[in-house]
Amino acid sequence: SMNPDLASERQTASFSVEKLTALLDGGTEQMRIRRAVVEAIESDPVFSRENQYFQTQNERYEAAVRKAVHLQKKMHEMGWTENGPEYKYIYRALSGDVAFLLHRVFMRSISVLGSDKQIAKWIPLATQHKLIGSYAQTELGHGTYLQGLETTAVFDTATQEFILNTPKISAMKWWPGDMGRSATHTVVFAQLYVHGKCYGIHPFIVQIRSLQDHSLCPGITAGDIGPKMNFEHIDNGYLLLKNVRIPRENMLSKFCEVRPDGTYVRQGSQKINYFTMTTVRISLISDEVLTPLMKACTIAIRYSVVRRQSKLKPGEQEAKILDYQTQQEKLLPQLAAAYAFHFINDYLQELFNRGYREIQRKNFDMLPELHALSSGFKAVITQHCTAGVEICLRACGGHGYSLLSGLPSLYTKILASCIYEGENTILLLQTARFLIKCFMAASAGQPVPPSVTYLAAVKHGKCPAKNKLDFLSPDIYTEAYQHVAVRLTSSTAAKLQDLIESGVKKHDAWNQCTVQLVQAAKAHCHYIAVKNFAETVEKLETKAGIQKIMKHLCDLFALHGIFSNTGAFLHDGYTSAAQMDMVTASYLDLLAVIRKDAVPLVDAFDFTDKSLNSALGSYDGQVYQRLYEWAQKSPTNQMSPAYERYLKPLLHNTLSKL
Amino acid sequence: SMNPDLASERQTASFSVEKLTALLDGGTEQMRIRRAVVEAIESDPVFSRENQYFQTQNERYEAAVRKAVHLQKKMHEMGWTENGPEYKYIYRALSGDVAFLLHRVFMRSISVLGSDKQIAKWIPLATQHKLIGSYAQTELGHGTYLQGLETTAVFDTATQEFILNTPKISAMKWWPGDMGRSATHTVVFAQLYVHGKCYGIHPFIVQIRSLQDHSLCPGITAGDIGPKMNFEHIDNGYLLLKNVRIPRENMLSKFCEVRPDGTYVRQGSQKINYFTMTTVRISLISDEVLTPLMKACTIAIRYSVVRRQSKLKPGEQEAKILDYQTQQEKLLPQLAAAYAFHFINDYLQELFNRGYREIQRKNFDMLPELHALSSGFKAVITQHCTAGVEICLRACGGHGYSLLSGLPSLYTKILASCIYEGENTILLLQTARFLIKCFMAASAGQPVPPSVTYLAAVKHGKCPAKNKLDFLSPDIYTEAYQHVAVRLTSSTAAKLQDLIESGVKKHDAWNQCTVQLVQAAKAHCHYIAVKNFAETVEKLETKAGIQKIMKHLCDLFALHGIFSNTGAFLHDGYTSAAQMDMVTASYLDLLAVIRKDAVPLVDAFDFTDKSLNSALGSYDGQVYQRLYEWAQKSPTNQMSPAYERYLKPLLHNTLSKL
């Protein structure tokens, strides 16, 4: 039976939930396929995540391997293929709780970096799981700065082998997934030496465990790096190499080759490889970042309409906590952000598809822009969504803190996205470097890529808004965002210039501007996200109330950004204090408007109870019953030796006296 | 051997680390006692936390009980008493990783709420651990709003007993520590009914488990609520009561009593009890909030001078990451906040001691102010420190994400402080209510408590700073903070007034102002924290460089607050854009200055390696060696059944072919 407090929220939806779900899925056919995959996965008990919150790291790992192996069988049964339309929904349906993800990276790296001969040899083996691959790049002492990797691969002309070594402890490979316990092979990145000369970092296929009995190969020390904040199901590993010899053919040689005599040869353009790296940053946004935020919003918003606490009006029933303005102010901007980033993700995907087509035609012009966008948006979206999930968790009070709410795991997992695939601050500085370069070019009248042409058009006007309703005009707020992005970029460019002109060395000057450069990069991405949301809304069909509610969310996303960062807009007087008060008024009004549709808006994300795996977020809203039933199954309700060992002797001291 | 990159940081300290430690401890004698306690605890293997990151929830609970029982013995051995000077250091030395904390709350509630006769009966039993107590207030459906609790206690005149019941699932007690598995008794808060009339919430002592065999008493259902984000060592429990009968004498009756005939009698003033609740909020700041932030700063800052990544200057060695401005901007404001909050904690402790003396003289005048300050600062400090710990974690990149860094556990634990002892938003609104009331009173020329007299003196001036050095003047920035606090309070009071005058009902008007009321409460606390830091620095001895470095930290704390929230200062033109640029310049300059003393400043917190329990934060800075050695001990490096069960059949399919 559905909790009546939740049921009543659904009766008043201003739009068709089913239509909005289809819009998010990219069409009704996509929606149908996704639901079929979810149904097939969730009805299979092997994929159950029900006991997940009670399991140890060892149990999680074992379950993830079991699922990965079972998935092969399942795909065969269902007729799903890696190139089929179902594939992209599988990982989402599993909530990522499966092993051998790095096996896929192993395969991708061979496909991209290997010669045709290498691809022909290794890809079929990997596809059929005749080996388990990993990807060993990061070292204890090196993550971001790849050139600093210390593992060595020395070519021995006599035996036609590379000899791989970990020269010191900081050179030990550290973090690679699937490597701690599962992998038999890995791609090792190492400094290549031939005849005593270093040629920089290159990739080598190295076998690390026996295919016979899984024992470590000679010269290999490897294991699991131990407990982490999340990712208990993944065996992130370490690897130490001592005079490990591999044949010359194991250096991935699409772009660089060492000939038998030791001659080093470069061939072809690596730019396509570079492009692959940038697309990975975009591809993770949907599954690893947006889905967790959407789940967190679903859980927190459903809970906030069944949780009643304190009274809004004296003498009345206790109020739903979502009726408090402060609760709306916590949750609804996260909901708006989830939609905003869903649409910017569509935009980026489309842009990258276009880029890919251009690159295949040997046109690399789009690369710098794509790199800047993928870096900036990876950083901005992971940061924003991580903070959003944390807000959802805290907004659920004590029950949010229980693992059974599902929120702690969502948070501890999404947090990692701020660190992997490029640490966020480093990435924002990549974007900033592009912005500064383009700003200088634009100022000098040179052409710049489409996403930054606005930098050329520096205007010194004022925001034209006259009353609070004007701030519901996308032109008004988009222009304000644009103005801030231009101001931050131009003022930082000026500071940089001034420092250099005053005699500060270029790299020192850059370092002294980095805090402000990060601000500029964020402002650029925020502007593009707002603009894209507004343009998307413009194009939506007006039927079924979809456009109207999306317009509200777009307004909220934009005004929340201004309200949370008023200084950026007030600084040079573009927005006046009186206008800022209008922003605040419109923003607070919007909260009350969107609150009415809050539950339908999260229902549209279409998560099943199994995929939420949350006692607070279920579709029927029976929160307290579910918490109680679930808690009773916890291993902490088994007998503990603590009683016999410690409590009994303590209490028995003087039992008779009570 | 000490990592030379860390050693070099210590050689250039501008002040005496030992003197600063003594200052933080409140004197050299206090420092000596603290160190002696730490030494005694850490040299005892029973208290070891070395395996903590590898343990299951069940193992953590058992260890916490073992430690709690052993602690009794230890205290006896060492001659430590609950009233002795060592006592306050014990919990800190144990890092809170011990059971029976709620047993102490059980005792305190009896001492405060019980009659002399009840105290005489129960306190000796509890002191000698002849029973284990808990404190059952929160229910599944009720936390913040105590009046809404649903558990009932009906007086039965015939048997002279109270009959306790859990009328529905939302009335189940949920969360009480020590109750899930350990407690034999608890204080249950329930709605008192006599002759069918409800007298509201009252406390009752209820036995829940047999002292003979620890089985649940008749009518009791109880157990553990299962996994949480942290606090694995605590058995937070649930409790369901079904016609549980307790003698009339078990209602705690210092303030209210039910006579044998059912007559309900109120006696004495409960105000002292109310005062106790507010002091708890202050007392948790030091151990539960400041210590974790100080530990996180120690770990992250030490790591940031031994971690080298990428190059600041081309051709040079890779740079210490703390030399990057962006890394300084992440960590150093957290360090400054740790000091700022240490000093405000001293201030609050002193204020509360004074309040206690007044209250004992039956003068309750200070109560509203103390309530407002304890609520506001509890919220502001827990929020700020939680965010600070998260920043420290993220600033350590991948290694910060390993449990072995110590940072994830610090974060997941401190996060709870934002929720318990009053949810932060609710608390800030309590402070805001006080501010509005005082502002109205002050505007009407009535007297107001000392901490809010500034609200009466609304000035419409401008910030007088003329260059960036002016912003290193405490008068300049303290006045700016004061101006913002007054502006936010007065403008929200005006909005509230306007709404009510326009016909909006009072409670609706209040709700529509809550987002802004929260801002006003934060601004008030921030102002007091800045003012107090500046006044503390003023009074420090100028010797040994202490005052100078504390002045830098005070400046940084103040300017970071302005830099992060520029809109509040720019809004009405009190600070101009040109002045804001000066703030930014001074702020960034300060980062470079304080960076030089960063390691000595965390060394002064004087945490031992055992208390940090971190592979990244050790005193000698041997990060990579420690991570490697520690990881090898992880249970995830034992043989997993996953190989035999899943991997072997998979790989053996076609072994011969490779």
Side-chain angles (χ1 to χ4, degrees), chain B residues 146-163:
Chain B
L146 290 187
Q147 296 169 53
L149 291 176
E150 297 174 294
T151 303
T152 56
V154 177
F155 186 59
D156 178 355
T157 330
T159 62
Q160 293 289 300
E161 289 171 317
F162 294 104
I163 310 165

Side-chain angles (χ1 to χ4, degrees), chain A residues 147 151-155 162 190-204 251 256-259 261-266 270:
Chain A
Q147 296 168 51
T151 303
T152 57
V154 177
F155 186 59
F162 293 104
Q191 302 283 359
L192 169 67
Y193 286 86
V194 186
H195 300 319
K197 185 179 166 190
C198 182
Y199 289 89
I201 289 301
H202 290 74
F204 303 84
M251 180 173 120
C256 310
E257 195 187 359
V258 177
R259 299 243 167 98
D261 65 351
T263 312
Y264 178 83
V265 187
R266 266 191 195 281
Q270 290 206 41

